[in-house]
Amino acid sequence: MEENYLVQMEDITVEFPGVLALDKVKFNARSGEVHVLLGENGAGKSTIMKVLAGVNTNYEGKITYKGEEIIAKSVDEQRKRGVSIIFQEMNLLKNLTVAENIFLGRQPMTKLRSVDWKKMNAEARRLLQEIHSDISEKAQVSSLSVGQMQMVEIAKALSFDSDIIIMDEPTSALTEKEVQALFEIIAKLKKDNVAIIYISHRLEEIMKIGDRLTVFRDGKYIDTVNIADITMDEMVSMMVGREMTDYYPKVSVKPGQKLLEVKNAKQKNTLKGVSFYARGGEITGFYGLMGAGRTELMRAIFGADQLDSGEIFIGGKKHKISSCEQAKSLGMAFLTEDRKSQGLILKFDLNQNISLANLDNSMGKFGLDMDKENRNNQKLADSMNVKTPSLKQKAKNLSGGNQQKVVICKWLNTEADIFIFDEPTRGIDVGAKTEIYKIMNSLKEQGKAVVVVSSELTECMGISDRIYVMHEGTITGTVEVNDMQYITEELMVGYATASKKAKKVEENEKEN
Amino acid sequence: MKKKINLTNMTSVIALVVLCLVLSIAEPAFRSFGNLINIFQQVTVIAVIALGINLVIFTGGIDISVGSVVAFTGIVMGKIIVEGGMPPFVGVLAALVIGLLCGTFNGVMIAKFKLQPMIATLAMMSMARGAALTLADGQTITGYSEGFRWIGVGVIPGTQVPVQIVFMIIFYLIAFYIMRYRKFGRYIYSIGGNEEATRLSGINTVQYKIMAYAISGFCAAIASVILVAKLNSAQSTAGLDYEMDAIASCVIGGSSLLGGFGSVWGTFVGAIIMIVIRNGLNLLNVSSNLQKLVIGVVILLAVLADSLRHKDDAK
Amino acid sequence: MKKKVLAVLLTATMAISMAACGNSSEGGDKDIKIAYIVKAKTDEFWTAMEKGAYAYAEANGVELSFQAPEKETDVEKQVQMVENAVIKGFDAIILSAADSKSLVPAIVKANNADIPVILVNDVINEEALSAEGGHVETYVGIDQYEAASLAGTYAQENTEGGKVAYLEGISGVAAHEERLNGFKDQVDFEVVSSQTAKCDRNEAFNVMQNVLSANPEVNVVWAINAEMGQGAIQAIEQGGFSGKVQVFDFDASSDDIEAIKAGTLIGSVAQFPNLQAEAAIQACLDVLDGKELEEHTKTKAELITADNVEDFEAENK
């Protein structure tokens, strides 16, 4: 083993039927470092970590761990060796407590062969305290937020005295505050000489937290560099293999009429009097932290939930929206936050998913015409650059980015004028993200009104023409077209946490 | 989805063919033309009920009230035609309306008031059965006119083919057309595939679910008309366990109880398989009780095949 | 593809095992094949009949197929059985009809195929039958009314009488109604309850329990079959009314015999189902020989009480 590597993986190859997921890749990690693994979706970063963690045992190649050559045969074995992995979709049992989850399958026993609850809880409390978490070890997991669940997973990893903790997209569902907490814990773990392997494609985070960076592309190893030595642009180039000059492509369009206007929307506990408008030919962004009420607002406008009071105007005319069916007929399209469970029928094929919102387009002389449907859908899919061998593919087999594009195709198939996107790029790699921004721009150019709810600050600031910032059910900040040039990240976060009053942007800036 | 359905159909059709071959060899009586007619006649009632339940199963729900609806509508017909002396078509109309109402009631309870399908239809099962028993005082009502009975025992002039078979095939053709070529059919499948995603795509899922249950009740009523005409009597105890046979037909034919998958013709084949098994075993002199065991095994195999087929869909 | 093959193999295996299950058809080419279709096999009455039937068939060179649906109420299935029997080409069909009218079309089918039909234990509605142009060779069975009246007469003469509760059978079944009336017409007791317990022991238990709480002075019970009689007896014992209620029932099952010996059952009308089966099969043989039969081939019925229970047991075990 060279250069005091804790683990060294060489010539790792993993093959799935029809796909070469990893092609003789290499990877290494040192104790006490944060090593970031970067790559587009399908690049192989999750796959290689699953090999190291013992989840995927069907591999070829050499793994040297703590100076010894090993074979990663099972999750349990690897865990005992000191390798833990925290998945994106967490593996906690919701109806058990925190302590029970941490010690699942290896509860401390009393002499009478029953579970030693006292010992288990005490040990769990100790672990939680180590990572400065104030979660109660007796709390039921179902009552925890996503960020808190992540903490529990980390505590669990620590309970195994792990030397390597692999985190797969840890921040994709966390609030800013929780991300900070996570980074503090990572810092502490580093001091304790734990190696952190951090899989992410959030470039700003990588810059903040990472020591070294390894890039994979299409199952192949590209390079390993020190993060201090490169820029974000260079990171992206390595990832996609080409120059990415425009993360947030902008087009200039003269805004049209107010296509959607909401006055004083109220919903018990979630919306406390929200008013806004969205114009054709414009991208209206909605920024805020989790729980701000943006999704609730959009769902209510689309008829998925009900407002207690408030007025909605479509194209200037007032409407009481009582169902999604009605909203659709009025020209609205809604891309939900959770595309898997709400945007797509995963077990159906792409044809059926794409045509679902407008079956009239698929009708022929005697009824549904499958060929016509297929042609229509293919056109849409091609225009969106959906990567799939055929439209008969089931939706669940597509990558996140392609799934999102399919949902977009579904709504493009209708005659919508108002497009509401709720967290459209969550869990999607940079390449696909840019494609989606381009799609939004083209909708803008067609004169549609585009509303985008986003929790990624730079994204929101980058693509929106105007921004509303929400905090706990109210709009705390409005950034008009002319103000966009003055806004800063701090100001936006200030609005989002209601620590900055909703004064005029310029005034706020002048104060600084 | 369509390609997958053809595959499903093939499995059950192949099973049916193999079954028939084996039975033909084991029992000569099986392969007579008379037996063939018998089989199709014996299958009509269950096949028509299965047609309706299939729709409900597509949406991911279940309807166990159909057997009781058969009894209830049958008694209503008896009261109107035999005891009331009204012309048969009035009785039939009343039966169809009641079937529709029972189904709609189920649908509203389930789609609008969000009751669990099993619970809501269990309640209807009890209510309809109780209504039938009360109305008829536990009795059977017999003595229908020739015209009415023609539905159940008449044949196409010049042939030996019973009319009820023709009715059954017509219903199935209509159902097939609607499920495959009309928006209604696609919406029903989508609701079973993912109800929330369908609703959020701007489709009135409540309305379509209610329609599915209404049609299930309607089909039960049609089956009842055929049954009463066949037996020349409306029993208040009619239809016991029929819902189980109907559901079994759907499952054997490839409809997934999770919703979203299955086909109209698959259910038809499933119903035929059930009756062929019963008919074959009967001719082979196997006792009724053992027949039930065999059918249970067949259902188990069908469900296993179903879960194998869909094991990736679980996530 | 793998799944298709698997499915085919499974079905084939299942079908072949089904064929293997099938008795008869193979062994020996006996002369006469008779289908004996009854209402259900759930009651001891039917199993006794089956035993008697097979014994007589064996002794007379008859190949017998004894069939029944799972429930007495499953009329459609019984119809299908008759239809299948016609297709299979039995020489004769013995039928105990689940419904007095619904079986008529099936009987007509048998007539058209020149297969003689003999009724046993349950009658077919005469009008309905002749309206369809069907006919049966004979009805084999007891006279239900007459048999029931044996019990009624005994009750009238040998109990203090007073208040009586009736446990009825399944409506639409003529035999059950005749049994009820046969007893009823012989007694002048006050009727405190007359309800159906659908020939089921459990139901009878529940009904009897309710009757006893509403009418604790009831002292005679007439159940038109043995299962209900037993259910009533259990309810009486559980309720603490032992010795206060005189129970009579029909069929003289083995439980009934024990109960008579123990004193919890006063009397039971035995129908000798085995004798009925013998008579039915003999009737088939006679018809096939060209003999003419009487309309009603009457078989024996006897009231079993504590006086003759030992003899009865000896004869029929």
Side-chain angles (χ1 to χ4, degrees), chain B residues 7 10-11 14-16 18-19 22-23 26-27 29 32 34-35 38 41-42 45 137-140 142-143 149 153 227 230-233 235 237 240-242 245 275 277-279 281-292 294 298 301 308-309 311, chain C residues 1 3-4 6-8 10-12 14-16 18-26 41 54 64-71 73-77 79-85 87-90 98-99 101-103 105 109 128 132 170-172 177 198:
Chain B
L7 207 66
M10 290 322 285
T11 325
I14 291 175
L16 180 59
V18 170
L19 200 55
V22 174
L23 283 171
E27 177 53 67
S32 63
N35 196 42
N38 262 8
Q41 244 185 337
Q42 290 167 8
V45 172
D137 216 8
Q139 305 267 1
T140 343
T142 57
R149 298 199 50 218
V153 302
L227 185 64
K230 231 203 263 199
L231 296 178
N232 193 20
S233 83
Q235 292 171 279
T237 49
L240 277 166
D241 289 348
Y242 279 20
D245 284 347
I275 294 295
I277 292 177
R278 228 186 251 130
N279 173 280
L281 288 177
N282 199 193
L283 291 173
L284 284 170
N285 206 19
V286 174
S287 91
S288 216
N289 304 325
L290 206 55
Q291 285 179 29
K292 230 179 174 159
V294 173
V298 172
L301 291 174
L308 273 175
R309 208 182 287 131
K311 69 170 159 32
Chain C
M1 188 54 212
K3 283 161 197 169
K4 256 202 265 185
L6 182 67
V8 173
L10 284 173
T11 335
M14 169 191 80
I16 292 171
M18 265 170 40
C21 271
N23 3 338
S24 78
S25 284
E26 275 30 282
K41 287 203 212 172
Y54 273 116
L64 192 70
S65 168
F66 199 89
Q67 311 171 14
E70 298 115 45
K71 286 198 281 276
T73 48
D74 207 335
V75 178
E76 207 195 354
K77 282 224 187 76
V79 169
Q80 288 171 6
M81 285 179 164
V82 175
E83 289 175 343
N84 291 345
I87 290 289
K88 188 130 186 228
F90 281 94
D99 179 280
K101 293 191 190 148
S102 303
L103 269 297
K109 278 200 180 143
E132 303 279 325
I170 296 171
S171 52
E177 290 179 32
K198 300 196 204 120

Side-chain angles (χ1 to χ4, degrees), chain B residues 6-70:
Chain B
N6 285 340
L7 207 66
T8 305
N9 266 356
M10 290 322 285
T11 325
S12 38
V13 171
I14 291 175
L16 180 59
V17 169
V18 170
L19 200 55
C20 291
L21 276 169
V22 174
L23 283 171
S24 303
I25 299 173
E27 177 53 67
F30 183 80
R31 43 176 203 253
S32 63
F33 181 71
N35 196 42
L36 187 67
I37 295 285
N38 262 8
I39 288 177
F40 274 98
Q41 244 185 337
Q42 290 167 8
V43 88
T44 37
V45 172
I46 292 296
V48 171
I49 297 177
L51 187 63
I53 282 195
N54 205 16
L55 221 58
V56 165
I57 289 180
F58 284 155
T59 66
I62 198 89
D63 185 355
I64 54 174
S65 68
V66 285
S68 304
V69 173
V70 166

